[in-house]
Amino acid sequence: MSEALQTAVARQRLLLRGRLAGLLERLALQARDDWPERASLERLLAEALPNLPSCKYLYVLDRSAHQITANASPQGLLPEHLGRDRSDRPYLAEALAGERFSLSPVYISRNARRPSLTAIQRIEDESGNWLGFLGADFDLRELPLTRELYQPSGDWVQLKGDPAIRGGLFSQQRVESLMDARIDAVLALLVELMTAHGVFHGKLHFSSSRATLWTLDDPYRYRLLDYEDLADPGICLAYPRRDYPSEASIPESRVADVFHTFRELRFMDETIYLRSGSLNIFNGMVGLNFSCDGSHYMPWHEFLRKSLGFWLGTGEACA
């Protein structure tokens, strides 16, 4: 997980912990007065549930993590969970180790198969003796989070591909595709679509001679162009004229440089070569997938600084 994503997740967990810890602690104080009477505890859980509107289940466990109440749910009490042994569930590990309050990592629930998390509050008597646990399960989509979309760092990311493809790399060589035969015209067409016709994300699949495009006018659906489409410059008539966005991270004048570099990577070697390349003008990220099935995502300016020698491992200087 990237550092930016880790930070965003940690911030949401911190907010959740702050919201839930006080509520469950107060409920645990009330539960000790009814301990261990099942009927009294279930009545307490049912009355408390409306104060936790995002809670899916509330329940009480004894010291060995065996359930001594039904699940209290918005639909009522669910007695089939009575007696359930939860001691092997990961969300109880911290509580069984002595934590007074713990908030589990997000997990996929057994029944609904949805992202969920569980808060566990230790229940103690007035002398501080450990009685059991109060458990609260939450469906992630129901939690009152800020839901701020995290911002990726934009750093270069390298990902390994299929081991089977990497293992057979040197027994293969590039076969000229239809796009290869007209690559200069195809690249010029893509540059035109991205700089003057509202395409903000374009990906060329050189080996299969196709392109996928996302446009400003219809950003939620991509367009698929096959070789016959790409071989006809007249398709520009099907895309409205649009000024190059001022919010773009890559200058308009450098878009062609990125696609020309795709050409160099496609033909740089008969064994190690580019299979597909993409550019998003708003985040300025270039995506690459090579014949070894390795993938790279990097800022456009860093991409243009790399020489062919870098990709081939020969250490050649930039032209």
Side-chain angles (χ1 to χ4, degrees), residues 169-181 183 206-207 262-275 291:
L169 175 63
F170 293 102
S171 62
Q172 67 178 19
Q173 65 178 18
R174 183 180 64 84
V175 176
E176 183 170 282
S177 67
L178 292 171
M179 187 184 293
D180 289 342
I183 193 167
F206 295 100
S207 298
F262 287 169
R263 183 191 191 283
E264 300 303 314
L265 295 178
R266 176 64 178 169
F267 297 120
M268 67 179 174
D269 187 77
E270 291 303 301
T271 300
I272 302 174
Y273 53 86
L274 188 66
R275 292 200 308 185
S291 53

Side-chain angles (χ1 to χ4, degrees), residues 30 80 84 94 98 110 120 133 135 163 167 184 248 315:
Q30 298 175 50
E80 61 268 25
R84 179 178 171 184
E94 291 184 21
R110 283 181 171 178
I120 301 292
F133 305 101
D184 291 328

Side-chain angles (χ1 to χ4, degrees), residues 20 34 83 142 238 246 273:
L20 298 177
D34 294 323
E142 304 296 337
S246 59
Y273 53 86

Side-chain angles (χ1 to χ4, degrees), residues 186-233:
V186 170
L187 294 178
L189 175 63
L190 260 291
V191 171
E192 176 67 15
L193 289 173
M194 296 195 75
T195 57
H197 292 274
V199 173
F200 69 88
H201 185 105
K203 182 174 184 178
L204 281 172
H205 304 261
F206 295 100
S207 298
S208 56
S209 300
R210 57 190 168 91
T212 44
L213 311 177
W214 284 257
T215 68
L216 296 171
D217 293 282
D218 190 16
Y220 300 115
R221 286 174 283 268
Y222 65 81
R223 266 69 175 167
L224 176 64
L225 303 182
D226 61 19
Y227 171 72
E228 293 183 358
D229 300 325
L230 295 169
D232 182 5

